[in-house]
Amino acid sequence: MSKPSVPIADRLTVTQNLGSTDAVKHAVAASLGISIVLDASVTNEVRDGRLHAIEIEDAALVKDIYVIIPVETPPNSEIRRFVAFLME
């Protein structure tokens, strides 16, 4: 059987957006649906037998991540220097 040419993300239908991964896990545990989550977010639930995780093989994942800092952080602070180091 050949794989579809349309990326899987374009073939999925999102029916709910919940406010947090914890809310998603509770909804799945309550049999309200299924979800795709990062493996690290369900380690405890899988270990404890509350959820079952099925690995999606060859799933390329791109996720935006951010460094967040207080708005009033001075430009010459250690925090700003550390952020500059991370951005190199």
Side-chain angles (χ1 to χ4, degrees):
M1 181 152 122
S2 65
K3 291 187 176 186
S5 59
V6 178
I8 192 167
D10 294 337
R11 294 184 281 132
L12 297 175
T13 302
V14 176
T15 60
Q16 289 186 21
N17 283 308
L18 301 177
S20 68
T21 302
D22 198 46
V24 169
K25 293 187 293 187
H26 280 90
V28 172
S31 298
L32 298 177
I34 65 172
S35 185
I36 298 172
V37 296
L38 298 174
D39 61 346
S41 69
V42 292
T43 302
N44 293 337
E45 292 81 3
V46 170
R47 181 193 63 227
D48 297 343
R50 292 178 279 150
L51 293 174
H52 179 70
I54 303 166
E55 182 178 356
I56 302 172
E57 295 189 23
D58 300 325
L61 177 68
V62 176
K63 187 157 184 87
D64 294 330
I65 60 172
Y66 300 88
V67 176
I68 58 172
I69 63 173
V71 172
E72 59 278 347
T73 304
N76 60 350
S77 68
E78 290 291 321
I79 293 171
R80 296 281 185 175
R81 285 193 287 280
F82 181 67
V83 170
F85 168 76
L86 292 175
M87 305 309 269
E88 290 178 351

